[in-house]
Amino acid sequence: MCPACLAALADDGARFCLRCGGAQEGRPRHLLQAACARAAHEDFRARCLFWMRAPMPALIHQFKYRGVTRLAETWGPALGQLLTGGLAVDLVLPVPLHPAAEARRGYNQAALLARLAAREAGLPCIEDALARARRTPTQTRLDPLERRRNLAGAFEARRPELLRGRRVALVDDVVTTGATLSAAVEALKSAGAEKVRCVGVARA
């Protein structure tokens, strides 16, 4: 991405909800949106680099489905800068794909981002600490409630000894309703992670 496109997509981070990464209109009085302040997972936080507005939908599609993996070279280090900009964490994990989905695509786009984010932040990236416990239908056409139900129990921690008492950064490409990240956070917290901070490229 060229500097002009990056500048055009830049957002005022002060107006993001610290939990879901969504916009807060005007000049918000609180750092959390009201719904997020009432959320069950008090440790859930998500920050994204961009809104899912042009040209991001086309770029994300190219990145995920067309093999244009070089976009990670821009986005990964930028995510690493988010991790060093106040999100105190010990290690970095990508949101995993089901093995069948990764084999079909040929790569896990979140893992590409996580490796470069971790390198930028000077942190270890552990790609096998979290796994998909079952294959789930695509989230694209589901509403928020259906997304949560679809992902219930979809993740499991495979290396809890590396997670126990640690502060974890979870990396994904797109945050829509937060259902995927919430399910992954639940699995990590159940395995003993102290805190989980989530970062993504685009917020839908």
Side-chain angles (χ1 to χ4, degrees):
M1 295 178 70
C2 70
C5 283
L6 288 171
L9 286 163
D11 287 293
D12 178 7
R15 296 191 180 188
F16 281 77
C17 171
L18 289 181
R19 176 161 291 120
C20 71
Q24 299 204 67
E25 298 298 330
R27 298 182 179 274
R29 295 175 56 195
H30 305 288
L31 295 177
L32 299 178
Q33 297 191 76
C36 288
R38 297 190 297 268
H41 293 296
E42 292 303 319
D43 283 326
F44 180 79
R45 299 285 187 275
R47 288 294 307 275
C48 294
L49 298 173
F50 310 111
W51 289 111
M52 186 65 109
R53 62 172 185 245
M56 288 308 298
L59 292 174
I60 289 288
H61 184 83
Q62 293 290 318
F63 179 53
K64 291 180 71 167
Y65 304 115
R66 301 297 181 189
V68 186
T69 57
R70 66 181 181 274
L71 286 165
E73 296 171 10
T74 294
W75 298 336
L79 290 173
Q81 290 171 22
L82 280 185
L83 298 180
T84 57
L87 300 180
V89 295
D90 302 311
L91 53 90
V92 179
L93 274 60
V95 171
L97 289 176
H98 188 275
E102 186 169 349
R104 184 175 64 252
R105 187 172 300 174
Y107 58 95
N108 175 3
Q109 71 279 356
L112 299 179
L113 295 167
R115 290 171 205 155
L116 293 168
R119 183 187 304 170
E120 178 73 18
L123 296 168
C125 179
I126 305 176
E127 297 184 34
D128 61 349
L130 185 67
R132 289 263 182 171
R134 60 182 178 83
R135 193 171 184 178
T136 55
T138 180
Q139 299 274 90
T140 307
R141 300 179 185 277
L142 303 181
D143 64 31
L145 179 59
E146 291 170 333
R147 286 173 182 245
R148 289 194 294 273
R149 289 173 175 168
N150 184 42
L151 287 162
F155 298 97
E156 64 180 10
R158 292 282 173 85
R159 303 183 68 184
E161 73 279 4
L162 298 179
L163 300 170
R164 202 168 293 118
R166 308 299 293 279
R167 299 167 298 177
V168 178
L170 190 61
V171 176
D172 206 359
D173 55 344
V174 177
V175 180
T176 304
T177 64
T180 298
L181 292 177
S182 292
V185 167
E186 184 173 356
L188 294 171
K189 294 285 288 181
S190 296
E194 179 185 337
K195 293 182 179 180
V196 183
R197 298 295 183 251
C198 305
V199 294
V201 174
R203 181 69 164 87

